[in-house]
């Protein structure tokens, strides 16, 4: 399986201070939220299956999100936007996870194409939540973007629904959450499935 391939993160040019849109596929992630969910899954499944669970494989998780969002094998390019609090320097339960040294301005390639990763943080003039919604609206308004995958904090669901309300019908939008979201004219996927794959939790262990 392609999940088992070794992917290398390689340096790219330094990113701009605010998100920009540059390709067909965009993954927008509240990185603090996803890291908390990964921690909860690690704690709960270690108790359930009786073994140590390693950190989530970042490349594998992004592959799963892309597949759930409709990306298929080929030479496509996918832009990953990780939005996090300025108080956090890393995704503690992901490998690689350090924003400055391992994620920001990096890229990796596999059979789904090339993934470019940039990390952005809140500033004095904008909160993390507003930055997330502004980035989502930027992607919705862009003619370049064809496919948007959104991984918001649960507290942002209402604002995400509002931001997506008037999106171009030509765009394929998938929102990831731990439970189904009421309303909204977008596709939905359960976030836990992609994280379980990235954590190496096998279906037969849950029987």
């Amino acid at each position: 399986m392609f999940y088992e391939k070794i992917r290398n993160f390689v340096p790219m040019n330094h990113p701009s201070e605010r998100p920009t849109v540059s390709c067909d596929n965009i993954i927008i992630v509240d990185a603090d939220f996803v890291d908390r969910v990964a921690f909860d899954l690690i704690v709960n499944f270690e108790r359930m299956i009786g073994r140590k669970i390693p950190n989530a494989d970042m490349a594998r998780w992004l592959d799963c999100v892309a597949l759930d969002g409709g990306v298929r094998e080929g030479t496509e390019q996918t832009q990953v936007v990780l939005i996090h609090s300025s108080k956090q320097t890393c995704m503690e339960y992901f490998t690689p996870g350090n924003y400055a040294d391992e994620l920001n301005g990096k890229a990796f390639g596999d059979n789904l194409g090339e993934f470019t990763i940039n990390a952005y943080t809140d500033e004095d003039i904008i909160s993390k939540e507003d930055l997330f919604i502004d980035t989502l609206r930027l992607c919705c308004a862009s003619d370049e973007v064809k496919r948007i995958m959104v991984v918001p904090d649960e507290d942002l669901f209402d604002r995400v629904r509002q931001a997506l309300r008037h999106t171009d019908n030509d765009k394929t939008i998938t929102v990831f959450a731990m439970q189904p979201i009421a309303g909204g004219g977008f596709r939905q996927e359960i976030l836990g499935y992609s994280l379980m794959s990235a954590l190496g939790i096998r279906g037969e262990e849950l029987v």
Side-chain angles (χ1 to χ4, degrees):
M1 292 177 61
F2 65 85
Y3 287 156
E4 299 170 348
K5 295 180 180 177
I6 298 174
R7 271 72 56 90
N8 293 319
F9 284 65
V10 297
M12 293 184 61
N13 295 330
H14 291 292
S16 60
E17 294 181 358
R18 297 290 293 275
T20 57
V21 176
S22 60
C23 61
D24 288 349
N25 306 312
I26 306 288
I27 300 175
I28 309 171
V29 181
D30 184 320
D32 299 333
F33 169 70
V34 171
D35 203 37
R36 291 196 306 270
V37 174
F39 169 73
D40 289 342
L41 291 177
I42 289 171
V43 171
N44 290 330
F45 280 107
E46 282 186 343
R47 293 172 181 166
M48 184 183 302
I49 64 181
R51 69 169 176 86
K52 181 175 177 57
I53 295 176
N55 279 6
D57 181 317
M58 176 63 79
R60 179 178 295 186
W61 180 64
L62 291 174
D63 270 346
C64 291
V65 170
L67 284 167
D68 286 344
V71 178
R72 294 296 177 256
E73 293 190 24
T75 58
E76 295 199 50
Q77 296 210 352
T78 300
Q79 182 178 351
V80 181
V81 178
L82 302 176
I83 297 177
H84 64 96
S85 167
S86 57
K87 297 177 181 179
Q88 303 296 327
T89 61
C90 69
M91 298 178 73
E92 188 175 353
Y93 301 100
F94 279 78
T95 301
N98 185 281
Y99 294 119
D101 297 333
E102 299 175 326
L103 294 174
N104 192 30
K106 302 297 192 296
F108 70 92
D110 59 19
N111 62 327
L112 295 183
E114 183 179 63
F115 290 74
T116 61
I117 303 172
N118 291 126
Y120 300 92
T121 187
D122 52 356
E123 304 170 355
D124 293 338
I125 59 174
I126 189 169
S127 67
K128 186 189 78 171
E129 293 76 18
D130 287 344
L131 179 59
F132 189 98
I133 296 299
D134 286 353
T135 303
L136 177 57
R137 286 174 174 158
L138 175 68
C139 294
C140 290
S142 172
D143 292 334
E144 291 186 60
V145 176
K146 306 302 181 188
R147 187 177 289 109
I148 306 173
M149 292 140 277
V150 192
V151 191
D153 191 315
E154 294 171 346
D155 294 337
L156 279 182
F157 285 165
D158 287 341
R159 295 183 66 185
V160 167
R161 271 194 296 263
Q162 184 177 4
L164 296 176
R165 189 168 297 165
H166 304 293
T167 305
D168 188 340
N169 290 332
D170 291 338
K171 288 180 170 56
T172 301
I173 299 172
T174 307
V175 177
F176 293 77
M178 291 302 289
Q179 297 180 354
I181 307 170
F186 45 77
R187 301 171 67 243
Q188 298 186 37
E189 292 288 344
I190 299 300
L191 174 62
Y193 296 152
S194 58
L195 284 172
M196 287 171 62
S197 177
L199 291 166
I201 300 170
R202 301 182 300 274
E204 58 266 27
E205 294 182 287
L206 307 179
V207 178

